[in-house]
Amino acid sequence: MAKFELKLPKMGESVAEATITNWLKNVGDHIDADETVLEIATDKVDSEVPSEVEGTLVEILFQVDDVVQVGQTIAIIETEGGAAAPAPTKASAPAEAKVVAETVAVAQETVSASVDFSDSDKFFSPLVKNIAKEEGISVAELEAIAGTGKDGRVTKNDILDYVKNRGNQPQQVAAKVEAPKAAAPASTATKAAPVSVNGADEIVEMDRMRKLISGYMVKSVQTSAHVQSFIEVDVTNIVNWRNKVKNSFEKREGEKLTFTPIFMEAVAKALKDFPGMNISVEGDYIIKKKNINLGMAAALPNGNLIVPVIKNADQLNLVGMAKAVNDLGNRAKAGKLKPDDTQGSTYTVTNVGTFGSVFGTPIINQPEVGILALGAIRKVPAVIETPEGDFIGIRQKMFLSHSYDHRVVDGALGGQFVQRVAQILEAFDPNREV
């Protein structure tokens, strides 16, 4: 018999941990190769962990709701045949038991160290939180660090300096860690479920994804100074062109041609013209993104929201964009997105017009600095200018609603960017070949 360590696999370049949501196998169950053993969830998507080998599950090291780091051993599977390890002798059994006990202890210690920084009333950037998690810094310790950033925020240099000098102040750290223990009962009491007064109201706890979305939205509003610009766009040429080519396109490419890839193409072009919108903010620093990765907000069947990402969108032609949009949209609805599919966006687009909304005021997807909402396309009377004079005609029009972060994007840039998107759409060639 040989023992195989089932580890949490790498799920994407920026995914460092996951939460165990469900064990599909119990200790003693037989597992086939490639059979799913457990279900996990990252901060964006749910996923499954299959076994690489066939064998029997003999030990589970983490329980449901535990947070596990990528590469950590989460279970032990006993395999048959092959390069089997020699059976332990009676003398070595206690030693092996001690090793297993130490492994479990380390695993449990790691779980307890994976703290939820959303419990803090203070704002910490994703980079600072990642460093804190890697260094095993608790919420209490992080809150006690004197920040030198704006409004006293803890910067990257602040936390690195703290880690560097951490060993010189063990007693102080211990005192800081002890404080939350006494406050735990009060914290638990404030999170008690509400009670229906009349007995007729139904009280439903948010699911995991809705809690995450709720946290993201509140933090975004608290972080960014949201400003909106609106512009009306004549998309008559686009509507007529799509109606003309959509059937032949689907027959040739095997893909439906919606309006979304056309709009995504225009946004990618505008970002190349205005790279100041393709940035993110980290404390007092602006990060200029080299790649243009477009987030595409998508509604899920259960009413939740997810934002899959079209990587290097500016390098795709319209056919490639249509395939990417359809692929991500279909996998999002089917719950088949991989963690990496939702990582790395530099600018986000949301289609509020799907449900008939004319325009909206979308909330920025942090740490980006802008998000564009596409309104419903409507037939409206409009003034048409011609060399022979002006006249009234029926045109297909829509509104673009641009929310941007006024901390780093002023009205001129925010307005010019959405104006450029409108110009690209209105200049669409009705004779375009695809």
Side-chain angles (χ1 to χ4, degrees):
M1 294 289 182
K3 290 186 176 180
F4 173 80
E5 294 184 350
L6 180 64
K7 300 179 183 294
L8 184 67
K10 185 176 181 180
M11 297 168 289
E13 186 176 335
S14 55
V15 180
E17 63 184 22
T19 302
I20 295 176
T21 57
N22 185 29
W23 281 97
L24 302 178
K25 295 291 183 179
N26 298 314
V27 172
D29 287 352
H30 178 78
I31 301 173
D32 294 325
D34 295 327
E35 185 177 6
T36 301
V37 180
L38 70 156
E39 296 174 340
I40 59 173
T42 67
D43 61 346
K44 294 292 181 67
V45 298
D46 296 341
S47 189
E48 299 173 339
V49 178
S51 173
E52 300 175 35
V53 298
E54 180 181 354
T56 302
L57 183 60
V58 296
E59 190 171 2
I60 291 177
L61 300 179
F62 292 89
Q63 302 303 316
V64 172
D65 293 332
D66 284 348
V67 178
V68 187
Q69 303 297 313
V70 170
Q72 276 191 298
T73 301
I74 51 182
I76 305 294
I77 299 173
E78 194 172 73
T79 62
E80 297 180 0
T89 63
K90 291 184 179 179
S92 64
E96 182 179 85
K98 182 179 179 181
V99 171
V100 172
E102 290 176 350
T103 302
V104 174
V106 171
Q108 292 173 340
E109 183 180 345
T110 304
V111 172
S112 63
S114 299
V115 292
D116 184 6
F117 293 104
S118 62
D119 291 339
S120 173
D121 293 329
K122 297 180 67 175
F123 170 80
F124 301 106
S125 70
L127 178 59
V128 168
K129 287 190 286 188
N130 284 337
I131 295 174
K133 288 180 180 179
E134 291 172 0
E135 298 297 334
I137 296 174
S138 68
V139 175
E141 287 181 83
L142 192 56
E143 288 180 332
I145 297 175
T148 60
K150 185 178 180 181
D151 298 328
R153 289 179 182 171
V154 177
T155 66
K156 175 183 175 182
N157 290 335
D158 293 334
I159 192 168
L160 290 178
D161 288 342
Y162 175 81
V163 171
K164 182 178 179 181
N165 301 316
R166 193 181 185 192
N168 300 328
Q169 44 185 351
Q171 294 179 347
Q172 182 181 3
V173 171
K176 291 172 184 173
V177 176
E178 290 295 327
K181 292 182 180 179
S187 176
T188 303
T190 59
K191 294 184 179 180
V195 178
S196 175
V197 177
N198 57 18
D201 298 333
E202 182 182 6
I203 299 173
V204 181
E205 184 179 3
M206 296 182 190
D207 60 27
R208 186 191 65 85
M209 181 172 282
R210 177 48 56 184
K211 290 177 182 177
L212 288 171
I213 294 172
S214 174
Y216 292 148
M217 295 300 100
V218 172
K219 284 185 178 179
S220 181
V221 172
Q222 293 174 341
T223 300
S224 297
H226 282 66
V227 178
Q228 284 81 29
S229 292
F230 307 92
I231 192 167
E232 191 175 28
V233 189
D234 189 331
V235 292
T236 305
N237 286 344
I238 293 176
V239 173
N240 293 338
W241 177 83
R242 176 181 171 271
N243 290 336
K244 180 176 65 176
V245 305
K246 64 180 181 181
N247 291 333
S248 59
F249 182 90
E250 184 174 2
K251 185 178 295 184
R252 187 184 76 230
E253 302 294 339
E255 300 279 352
K256 290 186 179 295
L257 179 62
T258 65
F259 289 109
T260 302
I262 301 173
F263 297 142
M264 288 294 195
E265 181 185 54
V267 171
K269 290 179 179 178
L271 286 172
K272 292 197 75 171
D273 293 340
F274 293 93
M277 289 304 310
N278 198 52
I279 65 173
S280 65
V281 179
E282 186 68 60
D284 293 332
Y285 296 90
I286 295 173
I287 302 172
K288 297 181 178 180
K289 300 294 186 177
K290 179 180 180 181
N291 298 328
I292 295 177
N293 300 332
L294 294 183
M296 180 183 72
L300 298 176
N302 62 2
N304 285 324
L305 182 72
I306 198 166
V307 185
V309 181
I310 303 173
K311 306 291 176 62
N312 298 309
D314 57 314
Q315 299 177 18
L316 299 176
N317 59 19
L318 190 57
V319 174
M321 189 74 78
K323 290 181 181 292
V325 166
N326 292 341
D327 172 59
L328 290 171
N330 292 335
R331 286 197 286 124
K333 293 176 182 176
K336 298 296 184 182
L337 287 175
K338 300 175 183 177
D340 200 42
D341 291 329
T342 60
Q343 305 292 329
S345 61
T346 60
Y347 188 89
T348 297
V349 179
T350 180
N351 189 355
V352 298
T354 302
F355 308 105
S357 296
V358 179
F359 50 78
T361 55
I363 296 175
I364 295 170
N365 185 20
Q366 296 294 327
E368 299 165 18
V369 298
I371 181 171
L372 186 70
L374 309 173
I377 299 175
R378 302 166 301 132
K379 288 183 179 180
V380 296
V383 176
I384 302 174
E385 298 178 354
T386 69
E388 292 75 27
D390 299 343
F391 66 92
I392 301 295
I394 302 299
R395 305 295 290 177
Q396 301 269 8
K397 290 197 171 187
M398 66 182 294
F399 280 97
L400 302 178
S401 308
H402 186 213
S403 292
Y404 49 95
D405 189 344
H406 212 335
R407 293 180 302 165
V408 289
V409 179
D410 291 326
L413 175 57
Q416 287 174 332
F417 171 77
V418 72
Q419 181 186 50
R420 181 65 182 131
V421 176
Q423 291 170 344
I424 294 171
L425 294 175
E426 290 188 340
F428 190 89
D429 182 5
N431 299 312
R432 178 175 180 174
E433 296 290 336
V434 63

